[in-house]
Amino acid sequence: MTYGSVTEKEINIFKSIVGAEKVSTGESVLELHSKDESFHERSRPEVVVFPKSSGEISKILVVANEKRIPVTPWGAGTSLEGNPMPSRGGIVLDLQEMNRILEEREGDFQVVVEPGVVYKELNRRFAKKGLFFPPDPGAPATIGGMVANNASGIQTLKYGATKDYVLRLEVVLPSGEIFRTGSNAVKTSSGYDLCRLFTGSEGTLGVITQITLRLAPLPSHFTAVLVNFNSLEDATHAIYEIMCTGIVPAALEFLDGNVIEAINLFKNTELEEKPTLFMEFHGSNEAGLKEELSLVEEICTSHDSSLYEAGIGREERDRLWQARYDTFESMKNANKGMEIIIIDTAVPLSKYPEMVAFARNEALSKGVKGYVFGHAGSGNLHMGLVKDPNDKKQAETGMIVNDAIVGCAIDLGGTATGEHGVGIGKRKFMAHEHGQSLEVMKRIKRLFDPNGIMNPEKIFL
Ligand SMILES: Cc1cc2nc3c(=O)[nH]c(=O)nc-3n(C[C@H](O)[C@H](O)[C@H](O)COP(=O)(O)OP(=O)(O)OC[C@H]3O[C@@H](n4cnc5c(N)ncnc54)[C@H](O)[C@@H]3O)c2cc1C
């Protein structure tokens, strides 16, 4: 596809739309918007624009569409697959200044926000009202970025992913058209579900400018559990059996001994460097939680757990979860000067033990250092592969291991990405995963964005 470039003329038009101070071609701003949190190669935009309203975005898109200038929406740039990187240059629309909470509809457990609201901020504000937006990627992501990536996190197991919380959207299409879709009713069978279509579209169809989210009540009782196992197999089989009981933990996280070692180093913790489960259970009373815990303990003990610590207090529980959130930083800290490829696959639960064993053996057999972890209760496997950017051969081997693991997940009936999205890194697996329906996706893309200006080179090769 041939694209137009941004000239002085467009820059002046953008300045007249949003104000001169909201248009930047400064080195540091372009540099900041050339890279997300992944290892993918940087690509700089020609201009970064900070719009304040859907009307401004509409006018910008009309200009861009006419000249075939690429447009990439930007939330907080915390993606892990190159999703917001402006691969073909052009315009980055940084939405961080559209950060107003527009309407608090507590009576319906709903809130209307602009896309630049940071979800942690939203949750701080609603904690006082006993409500929260559960998908929790850990990083300081925006709601717009979370919707566009269909993000999820530690508590998705019980509470669902972002897609389960999006009730209404306002979207600006590349043509400049602004439309609203969805309903405040929590159930509807009315027509095509365009909220779901735009959720996970990674900025390739249009710009999301307003979001109505469902919120969940904060749990009244919780309990946290830490379990160590003597082997990876025991840990992964215990995960499957726990999930087969019908108990739905709020979180069930798996971390192998290598991850725990990196966390101990980075966070000064003294956790046993063995395959470990961090779990959390939410309920409405103590008695129910106790009953669930005794069943979980029985399963872990039958799988030779070497430590079972339940009833962990709030402070220690927060410390453990923070350590889990810092897994990526811990791996980077333990491998200074190296890049970390984060694999993100998900498989049906019954295949989780097989998937973990395959991933570990694949890395071991190729001599690549790997860290296995993930939102295990949802069948989500992450693996951090250490890649030496100065050693071409080793980097190639890292990618071979990556491809084999993702390929295995798809063959097991799973997916190339459980939560990080396709971005740049997962495009090569899309045909394998989706077959014929990839062509249908391409047709949908052409329908909304016939000139291909929205976040080019993402999702599709
Ligand atoms: C340490 C770490 C841990 C993480 N853990 C998790 C995790 O557990 N689960 C998880 O799901 N993710 C995780 N992530 C990835 C990332 O935080 C999420 O994908 C997040 O949703 C990205 O949000 P963002 O605001 O940074 O969006 P960005 O990265 O800026 O953008 C994401 C995508 O959305 C598009 N976009 C942004 N705003 C809009 C908009 N308004 N309209 C249309 N398109 C838009 C962009 O073009 C891009 O394609 C992690 C990241 C890090 C660094």
Side-chain angles (χ1 to χ4, degrees), residues 73 83 148-149 198 200-205 420-424 455 458-459:
N83 323 48
N149 274 358
F198 276 82
S201 62
E202 300 184 28
T204 60
L205 300 178
H420 296 164
V422 181
I424 296 169
N455 204 3
K458 307 299 157 51
I459 302 186

Side-chain angles (χ1 to χ4, degrees), residues 237-254:
H237 283 99
I239 292 164
Y240 181 57
E241 280 184 34
I242 291 168
M243 294 309 298
C244 284
T245 60
I247 297 171
V248 185
L252 200 178
E253 294 292 304
F254 169 66

